[in-house]
């Protein structure tokens, strides 16, 4: 299933403790730059507060043509991508998406080191879990224009739970792989075909 409109604006959302320096974000940026240079690409550094993260995305895309916008998200970014897609109606690609982040991240309240730069740290505060719960309530309106890549070998998230929360999505279920999708290059064709980039 492809997006109906040709996509001219692409948003990429990284996961918890991650950044625009993540392997998948870097590869996606490269694919867009090399194969679809006219597409506007934005991969922001997301703040630790879920409410602030969604406000950043809303503000940063307020001038984007929503019928020509798509979002890609990994892990916690996959959850944010679901929220963004539910709010805007745009197509979404989800990469091992978090589906119960409030439950999972309650165990990570406190100081956290950034994955790609251990010198950087942030405080994941307890009320951020409440912000995640509030966002979770927005997903009741999730549409079906979603393509998810889910790895049975994910060591962080349960593939059964991921697929169970995406009943209307087109799911590519991998027999192995891992949470980071180390085999990300293998999925280039499927991702770009779904996105239908200009």
């Amino acid at each position: 299933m492809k997006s109906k409109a040709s996509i001219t604006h692409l948003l990429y959302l990284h996961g918890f403790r991650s950044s625009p320096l993540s392997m998948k974000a870097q590869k996606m940026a490269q694919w867009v730059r090399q194969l679809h240079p006219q597409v506007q690409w934005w991969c922001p550094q997301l703040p630790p507060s879920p409410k602030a993260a969604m406000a950043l995305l809303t503000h940063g895309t307020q001038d984007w043509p929503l019928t020509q916008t798509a979002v890609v998200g990994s892990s916690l970014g996959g959850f944010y991508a679901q929220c963004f897609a539910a709010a805007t109606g745009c197509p979404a690609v989800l990469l091992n998406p978090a589906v119960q982040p409030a439950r999972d991240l309650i165990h990570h309240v406190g100081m956290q080191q950034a994955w790609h730069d251990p010198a950087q740290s942030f405080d994941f505060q307890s009320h951020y879990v409440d912000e995640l719960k509030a966002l979770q309530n927005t997903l009741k309106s999730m549409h079906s224009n979603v393509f998810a890549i889910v790895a049975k070998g994910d060591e962080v998230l349960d593939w059964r739970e991921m697929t169970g929360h995406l009943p209307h999505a087109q799911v590519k279920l991998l027999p192995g792989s891992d949470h980071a999708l180390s085999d990300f290059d293998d999925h280039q064709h499927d991702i770009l075909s779904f996105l239908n980039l200009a």
Side-chain angles (χ1 to χ4, degrees), residues 4-65:
K4 291 175 185 173
S6 184
I7 296 301
T8 59
H9 292 64
L10 184 60
L11 175 64
Y12 185 95
L13 306 177
H14 64 75
F16 186 67
R17 292 177 55 214
S18 191
S19 78
L21 296 176
S22 78
M23 175 271 288
K24 294 187 293 295
Q26 292 286 300
K27 284 185 180 290
M28 279 295 308
Q30 180 183 6
W31 297 345
V32 170
R33 188 170 59 246
Q34 292 179 347
L35 302 173
H36 302 276
Q38 62 271 48
V39 169
Q40 183 168 331
W41 162 265
W42 186 37
C43 178
Q45 177 67 56
L46 299 174
S49 159
K51 185 177 180 180
M54 293 308 297
L56 173 69
L57 302 181
T58 301
H59 179 74
T61 60
Q62 61 184 353
D63 297 325
W64 286 22

Side-chain angles (χ1 to χ4, degrees), residues 12-179:
Y12 185 95
L13 306 177
H14 64 75
F16 186 67
R17 292 177 55 214
S18 191
S19 78
L21 296 176
S22 78
M23 175 271 288
K24 294 187 293 295
Q26 292 286 300
K27 284 185 180 290
M28 279 295 308
Q30 180 183 6
W31 297 345
V32 170
R33 188 170 59 246
Q34 292 179 347
L35 302 173
H36 302 276
Q38 62 271 48
V39 169
Q40 183 168 331
W41 162 265
W42 186 37
C43 178
Q45 177 67 56
L46 299 174
S49 159
K51 185 177 180 180
M54 293 308 297
L56 173 69
L57 302 181
T58 301
H59 179 74
T61 60
Q62 61 184 353
D63 297 325
W64 286 22
L66 288 182
T67 57
Q68 294 175 282
T69 293
V71 61
V72 180
S74 169
S75 195
L76 180 60
F79 172 75
Y80 290 152
Q82 292 175 72
C83 296
F84 183 84
T88 63
C90 78
V93 174
L94 311 177
L95 310 170
N96 282 332
V99 292
Q100 293 281 359
R103 178 200 65 197
D104 297 339
L105 291 180
I106 197 167
H107 307 295
H108 296 272
V109 169
M111 294 304 296
Q112 298 290 331
Q113 278 188 325
W115 184 255
H116 299 102
D117 182 2
Q120 298 288 325
S121 61
F122 63 91
D123 185 11
F124 189 74
Q125 300 176 19
S126 57
H127 68 271
Y128 295 165
V129 175
D130 296 325
E131 293 178 3
L132 286 170
K133 288 177 183 174
L135 281 175
Q136 218 144 359
N137 291 331
T138 68
L139 292 183
K140 293 167 184 171
S141 59
M142 193 62 195
H143 58 74
S144 60
N145 199 5
V146 175
F147 174 54
I149 298 179
V150 173
K152 286 188 175 182
D154 191 318
E155 69 281 10
V156 178
L157 300 172
D158 187 323
W159 67 270
R160 298 173 194 83
E161 192 170 56
M162 285 187 270
T163 55
H165 276 76
L166 301 168
H168 305 299
Q170 174 188 339
V171 177
K172 181 179 183 179
L173 185 60
L174 309 178
S177 192
D178 52 24
H179 184 65

